[in-house]
Amino acid sequence: MDFASFIGIISGLALIISAIFLGSSDIAIFLNIPGIMIVIGGTIAATLVTFQFKDTMSAFRAAFIVFSQDKQNPQAMIATMLQITKIARREGLVALSRVDADSPFLKRAMNMASDASDEDYIRKTLQADIDSLKMRHYVIQDVFKKMGLYAPAFGMLGTLIGLIQMLAQLDNPESIGPSMAVALLTTFYGSLLSTVIFNPIAGKLKARTILEIQTLEIIRDGTVSLLGSNNYLAVYERLSSYVPAHQRKPAGMGE
């Protein structure tokens, strides 16, 4: 589980709720069912108009995966590719087809390498997969980015509705204060969802996409380097450029 994301959302909500309790003894004044319906219902409706239903559902599934799984470690994939280089040198390229890999992308790369496919063909094929993943992830990120825009907009819309209803009752001065408070609640709901939920999720998805793409690029370059020279140090030098110098592990020539 990604505890940083979990702690961030929980602490953000906790601080806001604590501030509400400290500033008011009546928490009920912050609850308005019609306002919640306008903001949440309107945001979902606008999102479904903007995106296909399957893309919207994929976005929510992706968000769940991001928060339930640990992030990928490029350093671990570099170590895997170096281990594969040792296997190729000891047993030949044909042995790569027997490499046990959880990643379908890595398995595909190993199968093409074991078939002695052309380096340029392998590079272009794997790059096409990476580009396709970028586009899919862009749509998923965009779902939450758009929701982060729609929520405050529907909050403002709810506020305008409340103000219209309030102005229709100007002959009753006692109702103006409570009506204004209710009108402003929808703006509060929209801003809360945007800043604490939707935009942070979009940012987290983007960060995870960058890590995943980096991992796939390590597999791509590692496979091509392995076919080109099949040299442990050459593969290490090529792949180590993907991590900062102070995080690089020694080559460890354990052949």
Side-chain angles (χ1 to χ4, degrees):
M1 170 178 265
D2 188 343
F3 286 103
S5 301
F6 181 76
I7 292 173
I9 290 179
I10 295 300
S11 61
L13 291 174
L15 288 171
I16 293 173
I17 294 173
S18 299
I20 291 174
F21 271 110
L22 291 174
S24 174
S25 58
D26 186 10
I27 190 66
I29 64 174
F30 285 90
L31 298 177
N32 180 254
I33 300 302
I36 294 174
M37 292 172 59
I38 290 172
V39 174
I40 296 181
T43 300
I44 293 175
T47 303
L48 291 175
V49 171
T50 306
F51 301 95
Q52 297 183 46
F53 181 77
K54 65 176 183 178
D55 292 332
T56 305
M57 296 307 298
S58 295
F60 282 99
R61 284 195 296 269
F64 174 78
I65 292 173
V66 161
F67 287 100
S68 61
Q69 294 183 357
D70 293 329
K71 64 181 181 180
Q72 297 186 23
N73 184 2
Q75 193 72 259
M77 183 51 68
I78 291 175
T80 298
M81 294 306 300
L82 292 175
Q83 187 62 35
I84 289 173
T85 302
K86 294 180 182 180
I87 295 174
R89 295 202 66 179
R90 288 197 306 261
E91 305 176 32
L93 293 177
V94 176
L96 297 182
S97 63
R98 300 191 297 271
V99 170
D100 186 19
D102 294 330
S103 167
F105 187 86
L106 176 58
K107 188 64 178 177
R108 186 181 188 190
M110 293 301 98
N111 286 337
M112 286 191 291
S114 67
D115 290 337
S117 299
D118 179 74
E119 292 179 30
D120 190 54
Y121 169 78
I122 292 178
R123 182 185 291 105
K124 289 181 178 179
T125 302
L126 297 181
Q127 185 60 47
D129 280 352
I130 295 173
D131 292 340
S132 178
L133 179 138
K134 287 180 181 178
M135 292 304 300
R136 293 195 303 271
H137 283 212
Y138 173 80
V139 173
I140 289 173
Q141 295 164 28
D142 201 36
V143 169
F144 286 101
K145 288 179 182 178
K146 289 295 191 294
M147 293 180 78
L149 294 175
Y150 293 150
F154 277 98
M156 183 59 67
L157 181 61
T159 295
L160 293 175
I161 293 172
L163 289 175
I164 292 171
Q165 294 173 339
M166 181 194 71
L167 293 174
Q169 301 178 9
L170 284 179
D171 56 342
N172 184 8
E174 293 182 357
S175 67
I176 295 178
S179 297
M180 177 63 80
V182 171
L184 292 175
L185 276 177
T186 53
T187 297
F188 168 71
Y189 294 148
S191 298
L192 179 66
L193 288 173
S194 177
T195 56
V196 179
I197 305 295
F198 298 140
N199 286 334
I201 289 177
K204 176 65 72 173
L205 288 170
K206 182 178 180 180
R208 286 298 183 88
T209 295
I210 292 173
L211 273 179
E212 185 169 355
I213 290 172
Q214 187 180 48
T215 301
L216 298 185
E217 288 177 342
I218 288 171
I219 295 173
R220 180 201 62 198
D221 289 354
T223 303
V224 173
S225 298
L226 182 147
L227 290 174
S229 64
N230 202 12
N231 182 277
Y232 186 94
L233 270 180
V235 175
Y236 169 79
E237 292 297 337
R238 176 68 186 90
L239 299 184
S240 62
S241 62
Y242 279 98
V243 296
H246 67 278
Q247 294 180 5
R248 296 173 189 171
K249 295 181 180 179
M253 291 288 294
E255 298 189 69

